[in-house]
Amino acid sequence: MTHLPDRSETTGRCFGYGGLGPRDDDARRWVRDAIALLNRDAHRSADTHLIRLSLPALAGLEIYLKDESTHPTGSLKHRLARSLILYGLCNGHIGPRTTLVEASSGSTAVSEAYFARQLGLDFVAVMPRSTSASKIEAVARYGGRSHLVEHPAQVYDAARQIAAETGGYYLDQFTYAERATDWRSNNNIAESIYSQMAQEPYPVPCWIVMSAGTGGTSATLGRLIRYQGHDTRLCVVDPENSVFYDNYLSDDCALTGEHGSAIEGIGRPRVEPSFLPCVIDHMLKVPDAASVGAMMALSDHLFRRVGASTGTNFYGLCWIAAQMQARGETGAIVSVICDDGNRYGTSYYDAGWLADRGIAPEPYRDQIARFLDSGVWQPLG
């Protein structure tokens, strides 16, 4: 007799309808209304700014930053959170009484809490205890609760367990980020970048530079670059204690690390399912001190604070710009401001916090500042 797999063996069981079957008219109406609510929220929001940096010392190079900190929840993860919840709704996993659960280092959880509140759903964020206090507070302000674990690698199992205990749905950004986002359209950062670049001197960037947390954004960028036939190359920058760079070099998806990344929101101690090295053209690995130093130098230039993951991006962008300049190349480079630096006043912008962790950013801050002012890249070490 042929074995027909149970729904849970293939697409996952239908969650959280509180006794209503997924085909029940009341449940269908609730899901339809929930999707309409999310679409109205998106329609009320303008696109995020594309900032052009004025850098006369980098003659022939145009530098741009896509400012994702201007989303209603203050980070790049706003797009992802909306996509993940739409994915759960349209796949029949989220109903009117479903508890939403996520494993996160902070920003995704903040954005998901925002959307859960709009839908009237309970939300639980499973985060490392090291997550910045402002992110934990933001989850609470949106009506969610935080479950803190000691080590970043513990977030996955804890989130699954809470979802099972509550009869809820584990949103699982690390698995579904690359598939929940429609990389051809609909809330897509890559499409937005190319649309905003259309009237610039170099409409097609030579490089887009991005760090990876889930890997979903780099997957979206790399796929759209190929789908639309652009000559753009994608550089992904990885922080210390992340295994993405090593996976890119070795193709070993079983790699794990002993420590979590000190740069919130990016870098992982395991190779996440959404990380797709095959769509990446080049990777860099940078010290945490370089990420924080570049964060500070860019904040000085913008006259406002950005976060450390933006510093990782910007350090990679400056390295790419230096290589292009040395080869006499011209063109545009685009990267991303991931979130607002005011979230990190008690961490990356606190000298005592940095000293306790052995992070000394000043040499890298000076290196980036000199490069922006003079166009001269002076390697350290």
Side-chain angles (χ1 to χ4, degrees):
M1 182 176 178
T2 303
H3 169 66
L4 297 177
D6 181 81
R7 183 186 300 271
S8 63
E9 296 176 33
T10 54
T11 59
R13 66 184 179 90
C14 294
F15 285 87
Y17 284 88
L20 297 173
R23 297 173 183 84
D24 184 279
D25 286 345
D26 288 342
R28 290 177 65 88
R29 277 193 294 272
W30 184 89
V31 170
R32 181 192 62 205
D33 292 345
I35 292 169
L37 185 152
L38 295 180
N39 286 335
R40 288 196 299 273
D41 178 87
H43 191 68
R44 289 192 299 269
S45 298
D47 199 359
T48 59
H49 302 300
L50 185 68
I51 299 171
R52 176 185 174 274
L53 299 186
S54 178
L55 299 169
L58 303 184
L61 298 179
E62 299 286 332
I63 307 299
Y64 301 86
L65 298 173
K66 179 72 165 161
D67 188 2
E68 294 289 283
S69 73
T70 58
H71 283 296
T73 54
S75 84
L76 168 70
K77 300 299 185 179
H78 190 86
R79 297 178 189 266
L80 174 60
R82 177 177 177 271
S83 293
L84 287 166
I85 293 174
L86 282 171
Y87 186 82
L89 287 165
C90 293
N91 280 292
H93 299 318
I94 300 173
R97 286 173 286 282
T98 305
T99 296
L100 302 182
V101 184
E102 183 62 283
S104 173
S105 60
S107 289
T108 303
V110 172
S111 298
E112 288 170 341
Y114 166 89
F115 287 115
R117 186 175 72 169
Q118 291 200 23
L119 298 176
L121 300 177
D122 291 335
F123 176 74
V124 181
V126 181
M127 300 184 288
R129 195 170 297 278
S130 59
T131 301
S132 65
S134 62
K135 290 182 181 178
I136 296 171
E137 291 165 3
V139 169
R141 284 200 302 272
Y142 288 127
R145 68 179 179 90
S146 296
H147 177 88
L148 304 181
V149 297
E150 296 302 324
H151 191 279
Q154 297 173 326
V155 295
Y156 315 100
D157 289 342
R160 290 189 194 95
Q161 181 177 348
I162 292 171
E165 290 172 350
T166 61
Y169 175 55
Y170 175 25
L171 291 156
D172 196 359
Q173 61 169 323
F174 298 108
T175 295
Y176 295 115
E178 57 87 8
R179 67 196 74 170
T181 299
D182 184 348
W183 45 271
R184 289 159 293 197
S185 61
N186 184 27
N187 198 38
N188 180 332
I189 187 173
E191 181 185 45
S192 177
I193 286 171
Y194 281 99
S195 175
Q196 290 177 316
M197 287 290 295
Q199 297 186 43
E200 299 301 314
Y202 302 101
V204 176
C206 293
W207 288 91
I208 296 178
V209 182
M210 185 66 211
S211 50
T214 62
T217 302
S218 60
T220 297
L221 290 164
R223 284 167 164 167
L224 186 126
I225 287 168
R226 285 156 178 76
Y227 180 64
Q228 295 190 346
H230 295 306
D231 288 332
T232 307
R233 287 169 287 179
L234 174 63
C235 175
V236 172
V237 191
D238 208 28
E240 285 183 44
N241 296 317
S242 174
V243 299
F244 288 149
Y245 177 79
D246 303 290
N247 171 237
Y248 178 77
L249 295 181
S250 68
D251 232 6
D252 182 359
C253 292
L255 290 169
T256 58
E258 294 183 3
H259 306 284
S261 170
I263 308 302
E264 281 191 24
I266 61 171
R268 300 301 302 165
R270 72 173 194 180
V271 182
E272 303 296 351
S274 284
F275 179 67
L276 304 181
C278 52
V279 304
I280 298 168
D281 297 293
H282 187 71
M283 281 197 74
L284 295 172
K285 192 154 191 160
V286 304
D288 292 341
S291 295
V292 178
M295 171 198 82
M296 293 174 170
L298 178 58
S299 296
D300 292 340
H301 190 84
L302 294 175
F303 304 107
R304 66 181 179 91
R305 287 179 170 181
V306 299
S309 57
T310 301
T312 307
N313 293 346
F314 194 62
Y315 194 87
L317 181 152
C318 289
W319 188 87
I320 291 288
Q323 304 306 304
M324 289 182 65
Q325 195 170 55
R327 293 191 294 265
E329 297 173 358
T330 59
I333 311 172
V334 180
S335 192
V336 176
I337 296 176
C338 299
D339 61 4
D340 191 318
N342 288 324
R343 291 179 168 181
Y344 306 104
T346 59
S347 55
Y348 304 118
Y349 286 96
D350 184 301
W353 186 94
L354 293 173
D356 288 345
R357 288 154 182 79
I359 299 175
E362 288 303 326
Y364 294 97
R365 182 181 192 170
D366 293 342
Q367 178 193 35
I368 297 299
R370 283 195 302 269
F371 179 66
L372 300 180
D373 289 341
S374 68
V376 176
W377 181 266
Q378 296 180 345
L380 298 180

